[in-house]
Amino acid sequence: MLHDKLTLRDKKKEATAAALAETAFELALEHGLDGFIVDDVVKKAGYSRRTFANYFSCKEEAVAAGAVTVKNEEEYTALLFASLPPDTTPLDMLYRLMTMQLTKDFLLKLRRFVSLAKGYPTLEPYSLSILHRLQMAAQQLLAEFAGERYPAEYTHLLAGAVYGAFVPVLDGSMNVLLPGEEPGDQTDAITFEQYLNSTFAYLRNGF
Amino acid sequence: MLHDKLTLRDKKKEATAAALAETAFELALEHGLDGFIVDDVVKKAGYSRRTFANYFSCKEEAVAAGAVTVKNEEEYTALLFASLPPDTTPLDMLYRLMTMQLTKDFLLKLRRFVSLAKGYPTLEPYSLSILHRLQMAAQQLLAEFAGERYPAEYTHLLAGAVYGAFVPVLDGSMNVLLPGEEPGDQTDAITFEQYLNSTFAYLRNGF
DNA sequence: GTGCAATGATGCACAATGTGCAAAGTTTAC
DNA sequence: GTAAACTTTGCACATTGTGCATCATTGCAC
């Protein structure tokens, strides 16, 4: 595991990017994607348009980045390694990781992004790439945690299947009730926890 | 199944979009994504810039659309319904569908797009959305073919896991040899067929 | 701490892209 | 055949993207 020490310069860069991304996401939620322009973002965040372009290649990218902050992987690593016996299977490890990654807060922000994206076709490709970032982080952790016990073909394939199983939740094919959401009139909705558990049951025992 | 009859107007629209998309993809392969501008595309294809904007919201979208043509779903439907016994499981049906969708030609074009996208960050989000289009088509077919025998929660989850398992092939996490490609110096590469089969074996029997 | 190298932030000019609107050309439906 | 519906296009203009030079800040060696 690379423990890249964060220099002051790096921290400032991260802060700049985060400020711009969060501001972009806020404006998108408040006014819609076409209800503001990049100049609004940089003015509100206190940067120049040129700086925005140094970090994001378009408005969409910034909004997507602001929707979810993929947490520091090192944090997860420490937690995972501490809480799991060394002979834990990759599947069990992913289950544990997902319960950490997919916090209530994360899921709700993600859902807000996804429903925003429904109204703006240019935003849609980014929904999947958010999930993909999580998947990449998971692959990395799997490799560290189980790389010596399981071949990469296995762990990568597994990670793909696990995260792929959540795509239908993202793209709206399935009505899944996130933690904290009320059932409302959706009689056929299942809870996210139920979906998570049945996903792993299928993956564990076969479809 | 909706048999939307294709009127002449619809066919022309499709032709316009296809011509623009294919031209964009060709130019991207030949000169790189930043080696041409939208005006080059429309000039070569014989349309106006304004028409381009009627179909695609940016260059990237057109290039991605040109990379793969998701075949007519009706064609698949007919083939599937004809070749499978009515009690076929969704998993078996997806296996059959994938061998039809993921033709050698399709895979090679997809790979060309993906390696192009590696060099251009703005293109990357579209890689996943190509696979996602296939997944949506598969969900539709599954619903028609097995919707009365299996609940949507099952078929959607399954489709997600199946297509998700191919993400590592797309994003470059895995070295998979496409049909027709030479092994070269990649001693650790497995063939696409092997990957397909081991994927379905894991999904069938559990990880 | 001082000074120099490395790098981030910015302004500017210009190229490229995105969009509303109205006119002109096609297709559809009756 | 004709009118309605729709596609394509031109135009004007708003917005976005990019190369480059410069200034400000940080990193590093001493």
mmCIF file of all heavy atoms in Angstrom, chain B residues 166-195:
data_model
loop_
_atom_site.group_PDB
_atom_site.id
_atom_site.type_symbol
_atom_site.label_atom_id
_atom_site.label_comp_id
_atom_site.label_asym_id
_atom_site.label_seq_id
_atom_site.Cartn_x
_atom_site.Cartn_y
_atom_site.Cartn_z
ATOM 1 N N PHE B 166 -18.096 -8.108 -16.994
ATOM 2 C CA PHE B 166 -17.262 -7.820 -18.162
ATOM 3 C C PHE B 166 -16.622 -6.447 -18.104
ATOM 4 O O PHE B 166 -15.851 -6.077 -18.991
ATOM 5 C CB PHE B 166 -18.067 -8.004 -19.447
ATOM 6 C CG PHE B 166 -18.309 -9.453 -19.738
ATOM 7 C CD1 PHE B 166 -19.420 -10.099 -19.239
ATOM 8 C CD2 PHE B 166 -17.376 -10.172 -20.464
ATOM 9 C CE1 PHE B 166 -19.615 -11.453 -19.462
ATOM 10 C CE2 PHE B 166 -17.562 -11.523 -20.692
ATOM 11 C CZ PHE B 166 -18.680 -12.166 -20.192
ATOM 12 N N VAL B 167 -16.946 -5.708 -17.077
ATOM 13 C CA VAL B 167 -16.322 -4.400 -16.917
ATOM 14 C C VAL B 167 -14.803 -4.486 -16.825
ATOM 15 O O VAL B 167 -14.093 -3.709 -17.475
ATOM 16 C CB VAL B 167 -16.926 -3.648 -15.712
ATOM 17 C CG1 VAL B 167 -16.109 -2.426 -15.361
ATOM 18 C CG2 VAL B 167 -18.367 -3.264 -16.006
ATOM 19 N N PRO B 168 -14.264 -5.436 -16.034
ATOM 20 C CA PRO B 168 -12.799 -5.514 -15.954
ATOM 21 C C PRO B 168 -12.135 -5.768 -17.305
ATOM 22 O O PRO B 168 -10.983 -5.408 -17.505
ATOM 23 C CB PRO B 168 -12.565 -6.692 -15.004
ATOM 24 C CG PRO B 168 -13.786 -6.738 -14.163
ATOM 25 C CD PRO B 168 -14.912 -6.359 -15.079
ATOM 26 N N VAL B 169 -12.857 -6.396 -18.222
ATOM 27 C CA VAL B 169 -12.300 -6.579 -19.565
ATOM 28 C C VAL B 169 -12.229 -5.228 -20.276
ATOM 29 O O VAL B 169 -11.265 -4.915 -20.965
ATOM 30 C CB VAL B 169 -13.162 -7.559 -20.382
ATOM 31 C CG1 VAL B 169 -12.589 -7.734 -21.779
ATOM 32 C CG2 VAL B 169 -13.262 -8.888 -19.676
ATOM 33 N N LEU B 170 -13.253 -4.424 -20.063
ATOM 34 C CA LEU B 170 -13.313 -3.119 -20.713
ATOM 35 C C LEU B 170 -12.299 -2.136 -20.155
ATOM 36 O O LEU B 170 -11.618 -1.435 -20.900
ATOM 37 C CB LEU B 170 -14.702 -2.504 -20.516
ATOM 38 C CG LEU B 170 -15.815 -2.859 -21.459
ATOM 39 C CD1 LEU B 170 -16.952 -1.891 -21.269
ATOM 40 C CD2 LEU B 170 -15.321 -2.822 -22.886
ATOM 41 N N ASP B 171 -12.241 -2.060 -18.843
ATOM 42 C CA ASP B 171 -11.441 -0.984 -18.252
ATOM 43 C C ASP B 171 -9.965 -1.312 -18.215
ATOM 44 O O ASP B 171 -9.166 -0.520 -17.727
ATOM 45 C CB ASP B 171 -11.984 -0.608 -16.873
ATOM 46 C CG ASP B 171 -11.747 -1.695 -15.836
ATOM 47 O OD1 ASP B 171 -10.877 -2.547 -16.042
ATOM 48 O OD2 ASP B 171 -12.443 -1.683 -14.815
ATOM 49 N N GLY B 172 -9.602 -2.467 -18.707
ATOM 50 C CA GLY B 172 -8.192 -2.789 -18.803
ATOM 51 C C GLY B 172 -7.625 -3.454 -17.570
ATOM 52 O O GLY B 172 -6.424 -3.726 -17.501
ATOM 53 N N SER B 173 -8.474 -3.748 -16.585
ATOM 54 C CA SER B 173 -7.971 -4.442 -15.397
ATOM 55 C C SER B 173 -7.491 -5.843 -15.760
ATOM 56 O O SER B 173 -6.606 -6.386 -15.123
ATOM 57 C CB SER B 173 -9.062 -4.570 -14.329
ATOM 58 O OG SER B 173 -9.576 -3.307 -13.998
ATOM 59 N N MET B 174 -8.116 -6.398 -16.813
ATOM 60 C CA MET B 174 -7.759 -7.756 -17.188
ATOM 61 C C MET B 174 -7.270 -7.811 -18.630
ATOM 62 O O MET B 174 -7.761 -7.095 -19.487
ATOM 63 C CB MET B 174 -8.983 -8.661 -17.054
ATOM 64 C CG MET B 174 -9.490 -8.713 -15.655
ATOM 65 S SD MET B 174 -9.773 -10.376 -15.129
ATOM 66 C CE MET B 174 -8.691 -11.317 -16.117
ATOM 67 N N ASN B 175 -6.338 -8.682 -18.837
ATOM 68 C CA ASN B 175 -5.801 -8.866 -20.170
ATOM 69 C C ASN B 175 -6.526 -10.002 -20.863
ATOM 70 O O ASN B 175 -6.196 -11.168 -20.663
ATOM 71 C CB ASN B 175 -4.317 -9.213 -20.076
ATOM 72 C CG ASN B 175 -3.489 -8.244 -20.871
ATOM 73 O OD1 ASN B 175 -3.962 -7.768 -21.906
ATOM 74 N ND2 ASN B 175 -2.299 -7.957 -20.412
ATOM 75 N N VAL B 176 -7.510 -9.666 -21.642
ATOM 76 C CA VAL B 176 -8.280 -10.713 -22.298
ATOM 77 C C VAL B 176 -8.052 -10.652 -23.806
ATOM 78 O O VAL B 176 -8.112 -9.584 -24.415
ATOM 79 C CB VAL B 176 -9.779 -10.596 -21.971
ATOM 80 C CG1 VAL B 176 -10.581 -11.556 -22.816
ATOM 81 C CG2 VAL B 176 -10.003 -10.865 -20.494
ATOM 82 N N LEU B 177 -7.785 -11.804 -24.345
ATOM 83 C CA LEU B 177 -7.468 -11.919 -25.762
ATOM 84 C C LEU B 177 -8.757 -12.060 -26.558
ATOM 85 O O LEU B 177 -9.461 -13.061 -26.441
ATOM 86 C CB LEU B 177 -6.609 -13.168 -25.956
ATOM 87 C CG LEU B 177 -5.497 -13.136 -26.979
ATOM 88 C CD1 LEU B 177 -4.562 -11.973 -26.709
ATOM 89 C CD2 LEU B 177 -4.744 -14.447 -26.899
ATOM 90 N N LEU B 178 -9.052 -11.066 -27.376
ATOM 91 C CA LEU B 178 -10.282 -11.141 -28.150
ATOM 92 C C LEU B 178 -10.121 -12.132 -29.294
ATOM 93 O O LEU B 178 -9.004 -12.428 -29.715
ATOM 94 C CB LEU B 178 -10.639 -9.762 -28.689
ATOM 95 C CG LEU B 178 -10.888 -8.714 -27.617
ATOM 96 C CD1 LEU B 178 -11.474 -7.450 -28.226
ATOM 97 C CD2 LEU B 178 -11.801 -9.249 -26.527
ATOM 98 N N PRO B 179 -11.246 -12.649 -29.791
ATOM 99 C CA PRO B 179 -11.192 -13.597 -30.909
ATOM 100 C C PRO B 179 -10.452 -12.966 -32.087
ATOM 101 O O PRO B 179 -10.770 -11.853 -32.491
ATOM 102 C CB PRO B 179 -12.659 -13.830 -31.259
ATOM 103 C CG PRO B 179 -13.472 -13.157 -30.225
ATOM 104 C CD PRO B 179 -12.607 -12.398 -29.328
ATOM 105 N N GLY B 180 -9.466 -13.658 -32.583
ATOM 106 C CA GLY B 180 -8.730 -13.138 -33.724
ATOM 107 C C GLY B 180 -7.453 -12.418 -33.353
ATOM 108 O O GLY B 180 -6.614 -12.154 -34.203
ATOM 109 N N GLU B 181 -7.296 -12.097 -32.071
ATOM 110 C CA GLU B 181 -6.072 -11.441 -31.652
ATOM 111 C C GLU B 181 -4.987 -12.476 -31.360
ATOM 112 O O GLU B 181 -5.272 -13.575 -30.880
ATOM 113 C CB GLU B 181 -6.302 -10.597 -30.399
ATOM 114 C CG GLU B 181 -7.029 -9.296 -30.663
ATOM 115 C CD GLU B 181 -7.136 -8.463 -29.394
ATOM 116 O OE1 GLU B 181 -7.120 -9.037 -28.301
ATOM 117 O OE2 GLU B 181 -7.242 -7.239 -29.512
ATOM 118 N N GLU B 182 -3.761 -12.088 -31.614
ATOM 119 C CA GLU B 182 -2.638 -12.967 -31.341
ATOM 120 C C GLU B 182 -2.175 -12.805 -29.904
ATOM 121 O O GLU B 182 -2.259 -11.700 -29.359
ATOM 122 C CB GLU B 182 -1.477 -12.657 -32.301
ATOM 123 C CG GLU B 182 -1.716 -13.133 -33.719
ATOM 124 C CD GLU B 182 -2.021 -14.619 -33.772
ATOM 125 O OE1 GLU B 182 -1.348 -15.384 -33.069
ATOM 126 O OE2 GLU B 182 -2.953 -15.008 -34.510
ATOM 127 N N PRO B 183 -1.716 -13.880 -29.286
ATOM 128 C CA PRO B 183 -1.250 -13.801 -27.897
ATOM 129 C C PRO B 183 -0.139 -12.782 -27.710
ATOM 130 O O PRO B 183 -0.095 -12.086 -26.713
ATOM 131 C CB PRO B 183 -0.717 -15.217 -27.628
ATOM 132 C CG PRO B 183 -1.421 -16.067 -28.614
ATOM 133 C CD PRO B 183 -1.629 -15.219 -29.838
ATOM 134 N N GLY B 184 0.751 -12.665 -28.694
ATOM 135 C CA GLY B 184 1.854 -11.726 -28.557
ATOM 136 C C GLY B 184 2.704 -12.088 -27.363
ATOM 137 O O GLY B 184 2.958 -13.263 -27.101
ATOM 138 N N ASP B 185 3.107 -11.066 -26.590
ATOM 139 C CA ASP B 185 4.000 -11.346 -25.473
ATOM 140 C C ASP B 185 3.251 -11.468 -24.150
ATOM 141 O O ASP B 185 3.845 -11.599 -23.097
ATOM 142 C CB ASP B 185 5.042 -10.226 -25.353
ATOM 143 C CG ASP B 185 4.364 -8.876 -25.288
ATOM 144 O OD1 ASP B 185 3.137 -8.820 -25.508
ATOM 145 O OD2 ASP B 185 5.066 -7.896 -25.013
ATOM 146 N N GLN B 186 1.927 -11.372 -24.240
ATOM 147 C CA GLN B 186 1.156 -11.428 -23.003
ATOM 148 C C GLN B 186 0.981 -12.877 -22.557
ATOM 149 O O GLN B 186 0.041 -13.555 -22.948
ATOM 150 C CB GLN B 186 -0.219 -10.797 -23.208
ATOM 151 C CG GLN B 186 -0.143 -9.412 -23.820
ATOM 152 C CD GLN B 186 -1.455 -9.020 -24.451
ATOM 153 O OE1 GLN B 186 -2.354 -9.850 -24.584
ATOM 154 N NE2 GLN B 186 -1.562 -7.776 -24.845
ATOM 155 N N THR B 187 1.882 -13.329 -21.736
ATOM 156 C CA THR B 187 1.833 -14.727 -21.333
ATOM 157 C C THR B 187 0.657 -15.010 -20.413
ATOM 158 O O THR B 187 0.191 -16.135 -20.317
ATOM 159 C CB THR B 187 3.136 -15.114 -20.606
ATOM 160 O OG1 THR B 187 3.329 -14.191 -19.525
ATOM 161 C CG2 THR B 187 4.310 -15.039 -21.548
ATOM 162 N N ASP B 188 0.167 -13.980 -19.731
ATOM 163 C CA ASP B 188 -0.873 -14.220 -18.739
ATOM 164 C C ASP B 188 -2.273 -13.991 -19.286
ATOM 165 O O ASP B 188 -3.250 -14.051 -18.553
ATOM 166 C CB ASP B 188 -0.652 -13.318 -17.520
ATOM 167 C CG ASP B 188 -0.664 -11.849 -17.922
ATOM 168 O OD1 ASP B 188 -0.480 -11.577 -19.127
ATOM 169 O OD2 ASP B 188 -0.873 -11.000 -17.043
ATOM 170 N N ALA B 189 -2.388 -13.703 -20.573
ATOM 171 C CA ALA B 189 -3.698 -13.386 -21.121
ATOM 172 C C ALA B 189 -4.533 -14.647 -21.291
ATOM 173 O O ALA B 189 -4.033 -15.697 -21.678
ATOM 174 C CB ALA B 189 -3.541 -12.689 -22.471
ATOM 175 N N ILE B 190 -5.824 -14.523 -20.988
ATOM 176 C CA ILE B 190 -6.725 -15.626 -21.284
ATOM 177 C C ILE B 190 -7.617 -15.198 -22.437
ATOM 178 O O ILE B 190 -7.750 -14.011 -22.733
ATOM 179 C CB ILE B 190 -7.571 -16.015 -20.059
ATOM 180 C CG1 ILE B 190 -8.512 -14.861 -19.678
ATOM 181 C CG2 ILE B 190 -6.686 -16.388 -18.890
ATOM 182 C CD1 ILE B 190 -9.508 -15.268 -18.617
ATOM 183 N N THR B 191 -8.223 -16.168 -23.076
ATOM 184 C CA THR B 191 -9.056 -15.801 -24.212
ATOM 185 C C THR B 191 -10.424 -15.333 -23.745
ATOM 186 O O THR B 191 -10.860 -15.627 -22.634
ATOM 187 C CB THR B 191 -9.260 -17.008 -25.147
ATOM 188 O OG1 THR B 191 -10.093 -17.955 -24.476
ATOM 189 C CG2 THR B 191 -7.939 -17.637 -25.519
ATOM 190 N N PHE B 192 -11.075 -14.599 -24.619
ATOM 191 C CA PHE B 192 -12.389 -14.083 -24.284
ATOM 192 C C PHE B 192 -13.357 -15.228 -24.016
ATOM 193 O O PHE B 192 -14.179 -15.157 -23.102
ATOM 194 C CB PHE B 192 -12.921 -13.201 -25.415
ATOM 195 C CG PHE B 192 -14.253 -12.618 -25.100
ATOM 196 C CD1 PHE B 192 -14.359 -11.529 -24.258
ATOM 197 C CD2 PHE B 192 -15.412 -13.156 -25.639
ATOM 198 C CE1 PHE B 192 -15.592 -10.994 -23.942
ATOM 199 C CE2 PHE B 192 -16.652 -12.629 -25.328
ATOM 200 C CZ PHE B 192 -16.737 -11.546 -24.481
ATOM 201 N N GLU B 193 -13.223 -16.258 -24.797
ATOM 202 C CA GLU B 193 -14.126 -17.400 -24.613
ATOM 203 C C GLU B 193 -13.941 -18.027 -23.232
ATOM 204 O O GLU B 193 -14.909 -18.363 -22.554
ATOM 205 C CB GLU B 193 -13.864 -18.431 -25.702
ATOM 206 C CG GLU B 193 -14.986 -19.431 -25.869
ATOM 207 C CD GLU B 193 -14.591 -20.554 -26.815
ATOM 208 O OE1 GLU B 193 -13.540 -20.448 -27.487
ATOM 209 O OE2 GLU B 193 -15.342 -21.546 -26.866
ATOM 210 N N GLN B 194 -12.688 -18.163 -22.827
ATOM 211 C CA GLN B 194 -12.432 -18.675 -21.485
ATOM 212 C C GLN B 194 -13.041 -17.780 -20.428
ATOM 213 O O GLN B 194 -13.650 -18.249 -19.460
ATOM 214 C CB GLN B 194 -10.918 -18.790 -21.239
ATOM 215 C CG GLN B 194 -10.249 -19.935 -21.974
ATOM 216 C CD GLN B 194 -8.730 -19.867 -21.871
ATOM 217 O OE1 GLN B 194 -8.163 -18.801 -21.650
ATOM 218 N NE2 GLN B 194 -8.079 -21.005 -22.053
ATOM 219 N N TYR B 195 -12.884 -16.486 -20.628
ATOM 220 C CA TYR B 195 -13.428 -15.543 -19.651
ATOM 221 C C TYR B 195 -14.948 -15.654 -19.581
ATOM 222 O O TYR B 195 -15.534 -15.682 -18.501
ATOM 223 C CB TYR B 195 -13.020 -14.116 -20.019
ATOM 224 C CG TYR B 195 -13.285 -13.120 -18.919
ATOM 225 C CD1 TYR B 195 -12.400 -12.974 -17.862
ATOM 226 C CD2 TYR B 195 -14.429 -12.331 -18.926
ATOM 227 C CE1 TYR B 195 -12.633 -12.076 -16.839
ATOM 228 C CE2 TYR B 195 -14.675 -11.420 -17.900
ATOM 229 C CZ TYR B 195 -13.770 -11.299 -16.865
ATOM 230 O OH TYR B 195 -14.024 -10.406 -15.857
#
